[in-house]
Amino acid sequence: MDLIIFDLDGTLINSEAIILEAQYETFRRCGRVHPGREAGLGIVGLTLDIAMAQLAGLAAPDDVLTETYRQVFSAMRVQAESDPSLDEPLFAGVAETLAELKRHGGLKLGIATGKSRKGAEFIVARHGWQGLFDTVQSADDAPSKPHPGMIQRAMAETGAAPERTAMVGDSSFDIEMAVAAGVVPVAVSWGFQPVEKLVTLGARHVLRAFQELPATLGLPKAAAA
């Protein structure tokens, strides 16, 4: 492989609690009824304005709804520093496996997320990932998933070929984006959307544990650190 690209929410980090709480509070402040957990997680991965409009059943983005969520989420990020219930921990095996992948000579790692660049940079800093990823694509860089723009930009920045690039994600948007870009779609089974749906949409591999990724992609065992 030339390049492995990862989604963040639901794939590398478990951000379910803070995302749902921010949605609930946003809808309360805007006088709307939140449609529930499944719907709330089902839009994670889309660019914020599109995600909030879809969650609210609107035909177009609503600036008030979008900005309210942004403010609520930022405040909850501060609250999370002293409230463990709003933490965004890594899923099991993520830290160790990313470190192993980084030891593969010539292999590059990337991120493609519906978060803003500021949000992506926060997560990178939060988990000490500076220097780990060779390319980071965000909602500020390309059209919302499932448009293939994020993957296309990542491949252009790293010189990766589509057939030697994998996209690892937990949502329909990740898999559809990967298929549209002509790269290898890899689904994770612990994320925010049913894995059966991801297989139907074209996921070529399904990870039951993050540690399975190197072998799934046919990578040799990396040298010990």
Side-chain angles (χ1 to χ4, degrees), residues 27-171:
F27 272 58
R28 186 191 67 78
R29 292 188 186 185
C30 293
R32 296 180 179 274
V33 177
H34 191 281
R37 176 181 180 274
E38 183 176 351
L41 294 179
I43 53 83
V44 176
L46 294 172
T47 299
L48 179 58
D49 58 345
I50 297 173
M52 295 306 293
Q54 184 171 311
L55 188 60
L58 302 175
D62 180 275
D63 290 343
V64 173
L65 194 63
T66 302
E67 185 57 32
T68 300
Y69 179 90
R70 187 175 285 117
Q71 293 174 4
V72 168
F73 191 87
S74 295
M76 286 187 175
R77 271 269 172 80
V78 175
Q79 182 182 343
E81 296 175 6
S82 58
D83 183 353
S85 71
L86 295 176
D87 194 14
E88 299 169 271
L90 300 181
F91 285 105
V94 167
E96 301 85 350
T97 305
L98 289 179
E100 178 185 348
L101 292 171
K102 193 62 177 178
R103 295 198 297 271
H104 281 273
L107 176 64
K108 293 181 170 61
L109 305 180
I111 288 172
T113 176
K115 292 182 180 297
S116 66
R117 176 155 292 277
K118 179 181 178 181
E121 290 175 349
F122 175 89
I123 294 299
V124 168
R126 164 75 173 77
H127 294 290
W129 287 341
Q130 296 90 337
L132 180 64
F133 294 99
D134 301 278
T135 178
V136 176
Q137 305 300 323
S138 72
D140 297 330
D141 305 307
S144 177
K145 300 175 184 181
H147 188 282
M150 289 189 194
I151 292 178
Q152 291 168 340
R153 282 177 55 92
M155 291 190 295
E157 288 183 5
T158 58
E163 66 274 11
R164 293 176 59 83
T165 297
M167 175 68 211
V168 184
D170 73 302
S171 76

Side-chain angles (χ1 to χ4, degrees), residues 9 16 20-21 26 36-37 39 60 63-64 70 81 85 113 149 156 173 176-177 194 200 204 215:
D9 297 300
E16 175 179 339
L20 287 178
E21 284 302 313
T26 296
R37 176 181 180 274
D63 290 343
V64 173
R70 187 175 285 117
E81 296 175 6
S85 71
T113 176
F173 317 119
E176 290 175 314
M177 178 173 65
T200 299
R204 196 178 306 176

Side-chain angles (χ1 to χ4, degrees), residues 7-15 44 91 169-170 188 190-192:
D7 170 55
L8 285 177
D9 297 300
T11 301
L12 298 185
I13 60 171
N14 186 357
S15 49
V44 176
F91 285 105
D170 73 302
V188 303
W190 53 83
F192 297 161

